[in-house]
Amino acid sequence: MLRPAHPADYPAIAHVHNTLWPEHFRSLEDFAHLDRHNPVRRFLLELDGPVAVAGLRDRGAFYEFELGVLPGFEGRGLGRELYARLLGELEALPPKRTLAFVKESHPYALAFAARRGWRESLRGYHQHLGLAAFDPAPFEGLRRRLEAEGYAFHSYAALPDPERLYPLLRQTYLDVPRSGEAEPLSPEEFRRRFVLHPAFHPQTSFVAVREGEWAGLSLVRRRGESGLHSAMTGVLPAHRGRGLATALKVCSILEARRLGFAELHTNNAAGNAPMLAVNARLGFVRGPARVELELTKESLWT
């Protein structure tokens, strides 16, 4: 049975999502927070229990097309049924870019999308680091050099100042590789996606300060019971090339390990070579690519 989903269905929705995308884990609180701020039309397909979920989310600059079928239930036409339902919802909306995300390691899903007019617009990599095995010794000289140059590193829990954090994040956020046009981060988005996000973790989020100027940041969220997610790392242009991004991430890693967390996760676009190189030096392990697809059939709105 195909039916609209409701907040009471969050456990089933999270189960499907986290089974298919364990590297992009979402808690029930994550779903509730996201749905409050980015409206979604979501549907469940049940066969003696929920086995597939589809959603069409308004992300502001674009619509996000979400569709997932649990392992063991593929090949029964469930994806086609959900896709047709979402397409009907999409056709009734004002025209806007429409994106979806598929794993590179799922060729069937990529072929399914390609046959329906979706084309690759960006790809990125999930990376994870086991904290117990991290060796800080190779980076101790970097921290000493930066401190000698006048930089100080503070956890956001010790220096909670959204009025200073916002302009730094707003400027560095524009440099994040993306497929569409970069849009400035609004104060509302800053609060929703970072400092007021239910998973934001101030203790392992760090800023670099020099002579009173906030020069760089690394912002972290909780991820399940024992993990963290590095959501954003950025350095102002005038302070780049010194190793600040690496030093900030090392601060987060060491504090996370001290607090008992087991893993740190992150995502980067394939074109973000500098940050991918930083993560590789720190020991992050790269997983299969996540492919961003854009719906190219303009006939939807003609």
Side-chain angles (χ1 to χ4, degrees):
M1 179 181 71
L2 177 62
R3 65 171 177 83
H6 306 287
D9 296 311
Y10 281 150
I13 294 164
H15 172 65
V16 174
H17 173 86
N18 293 328
T19 298
L20 298 174
W21 293 93
E23 64 274 35
H24 297 282
F25 176 88
R26 284 181 185 168
S27 67
L28 304 188
E29 292 75 17
D30 291 336
F31 276 105
H33 179 77
L34 191 56
D35 289 358
R36 278 195 301 272
H37 297 279
N38 293 105
V40 62
R41 303 177 184 206
R42 187 183 284 123
F43 302 91
L44 275 178
L45 205 156
E46 297 174 311
L47 299 175
D48 295 325
V51 298
V53 177
L56 183 63
R57 185 181 300 281
D58 189 343
R59 290 280 193 171
F62 60 90
Y63 300 124
E64 183 177 354
F65 210 93
E66 305 170 345
L67 194 158
V69 179
L70 284 176
F73 294 92
E74 305 99 326
R76 304 188 188 186
L78 306 182
R80 289 193 297 273
E81 184 177 355
L82 283 166
Y83 184 88
R85 180 59 183 267
L86 281 193
L87 208 61
E89 297 288 327
L90 182 62
E91 288 172 334
L93 294 173
K96 193 186 295 190
R97 288 185 78 211
T98 303
L99 304 179
F101 299 91
V102 178
K103 289 183 183 180
E104 179 186 45
S105 55
H106 288 180
Y108 175 81
L110 287 167
F112 179 97
R115 289 194 299 269
R116 289 160 175 81
W118 297 80
R119 298 292 180 265
E120 180 175 335
S121 51
L122 188 73
R123 63 175 50 209
Y125 296 101
H126 170 263
Q127 302 135 84
H128 71 277
L129 175 70
L131 300 181
F134 176 73
D135 180 11
F139 308 100
E140 290 171 356
L142 171 64
R143 173 75 177 258
R144 288 194 298 268
R145 174 175 62 77
L146 289 170
E147 289 177 340
E149 293 177 8
Y151 291 97
F153 298 89
H154 305 277
S155 79
Y156 190 72
L159 202 66
D161 190 344
E163 299 302 319
R164 301 294 299 276
L165 182 64
Y166 172 60
L168 170 59
L169 180 58
R170 188 176 189 271
Q171 183 169 347
T172 55
Y173 182 78
L174 291 172
D175 295 329
V176 175
R178 51 178 60 81
S179 60
E181 187 174 341
E183 295 186 0
L185 188 73
S186 70
E188 294 75 20
E189 283 284 287
F190 163 68
R191 289 189 290 269
R192 180 184 69 79
R193 295 181 57 186
F194 295 98
V195 292
L196 295 184
H197 192 285
F200 180 58
H201 200 255
Q203 294 94 327
T204 54
S205 297
F206 277 79
V207 295
V209 182
R210 184 185 187 191
E211 297 178 353
E213 180 184 19
W214 286 37
L217 56 82
S218 188
L219 304 182
V220 176
R221 296 176 186 159
R222 288 194 68 117
R223 183 186 185 276
E225 293 299 318
S226 61
L228 293 167
H229 174 75
S230 180
M232 173 67 191
T233 300
V235 175
L236 291 178
H239 298 271
R240 291 175 187 166
R242 294 178 167 89
L244 275 177
T246 300
L248 284 161
K249 285 210 162 189
V250 170
C251 288
S252 292
I253 290 167
L254 294 179
E255 183 64 7
R257 185 164 69 179
R258 187 187 72 80
L259 293 172
F261 290 97
E263 291 185 321
L264 181 63
H265 299 254
T266 193
N267 301 294
N268 294 108
N272 193 351
M275 192 54 64
L276 288 170
V278 166
N279 291 337
R281 286 196 297 272
L282 292 169
F284 280 83
V285 177
R286 185 187 299 186
R290 184 178 80 151
V291 182
E292 177 190 286
L293 303 174
E294 182 171 357
L295 185 59
T296 58
K297 285 187 176 178
E298 298 179 357
S299 59
L300 277 174
W301 292 285
T302 59

